[in-house]
Amino acid sequence: MTGPGADASLMTMAGDATGLTVEMAAGQLRLGPRRMVLLQPQVLLELQKSLEDHLGSRAGEYFYTAGHGWAVGETRRLKTALVEEGASLAGLFCSRMGEMGWGQWRLAGLDREAGLLRVEVEDSPLALEYGPADEPVCHLLAGLVAGLAEVLLGAPASCREISCLARQEASCQFEARAQQVDQSDSWSW
């Protein structure tokens, strides 16, 4: 699964020399050469709920956008370093999310011709910590799936959470669709 010159930080966190290390004297946590931050889901949820108090339903847009940007960058990095494509790249991304504590991610479907990606997340730390809700709450994860879909499908994508643990459903399920871009809508400088 590794291509020539593969980035050591792309290896699994499970027990190898390029895995997760703690440098106590420096106050640093690293995954290979990449610095990481360990924080509890409550930190993100306090931020999300505070924004919801002030912005209402628009608060989710900020978390979605952050997840989208992160996923586009991470997926492109994985694709370049490991020379992976399609379902293999999606599976690797899902595995990495689980390794980083974002729940158990599973590729539920990828149809490039239809411009569709489906991902299921069991044990979403965000949904579990959020508590009961009437609407889906995993905006950050929806953004992650949208960013993954954008790279996999080669077009801007939007994602919606179609089921959520916070709504007392069995798992969080996401559906991302490539957006049709009309060439006549293009512009230039």
Side-chain angles (χ1 to χ4, degrees), residues 65-131:
T65 300
H68 175 270
W70 176 33
V72 166
E74 185 68 8
T75 306
R76 285 180 179 157
R77 193 173 71 79
L78 287 170
K79 182 178 178 178
T80 300
L82 301 179
V83 195
E84 297 288 341
E85 293 283 339
S88 178
L89 179 59
L92 180 60
F93 183 90
C94 288
S95 177
R96 300 259 315 146
M97 292 299 103
E99 290 175 352
M100 291 189 287
W102 291 103
Q104 184 61 42
W105 286 53
R106 181 181 69 81
L107 175 63
L110 174 62
D111 184 340
R112 293 173 107 173
E113 283 186 30
L116 178 66
L117 171 69
R118 289 190 177 103
V119 172
E120 180 179 21
V121 179
E122 295 179 8
D123 272 345
S124 162
L126 301 178
L128 290 170
E129 293 294 330
Y130 191 95

Side-chain angles (χ1 to χ4, degrees), residues 45-74:
L45 291 172
E46 286 299 324
L47 179 59
Q48 180 173 328
K49 287 180 176 184
S50 177
L51 284 172
E52 288 171 352
D53 288 344
H54 288 66
L55 301 174
S57 62
R58 294 214 44 219
E61 295 173 24
Y62 293 94
F63 288 88
Y64 182 98
T65 300
H68 175 270
W70 176 33
V72 166
E74 185 68 8

Side-chain angles (χ1 to χ4, degrees), residues 20-40:
L20 191 63
T21 59
V22 178
E23 298 173 18
M24 293 298 284
Q28 296 180 1
L29 180 65
R30 294 192 174 277
L31 178 57
R34 298 179 71 198
R35 187 162 184 186
M36 306 299 271
V37 175
L38 182 66
L39 74 134
Q40 296 176 331

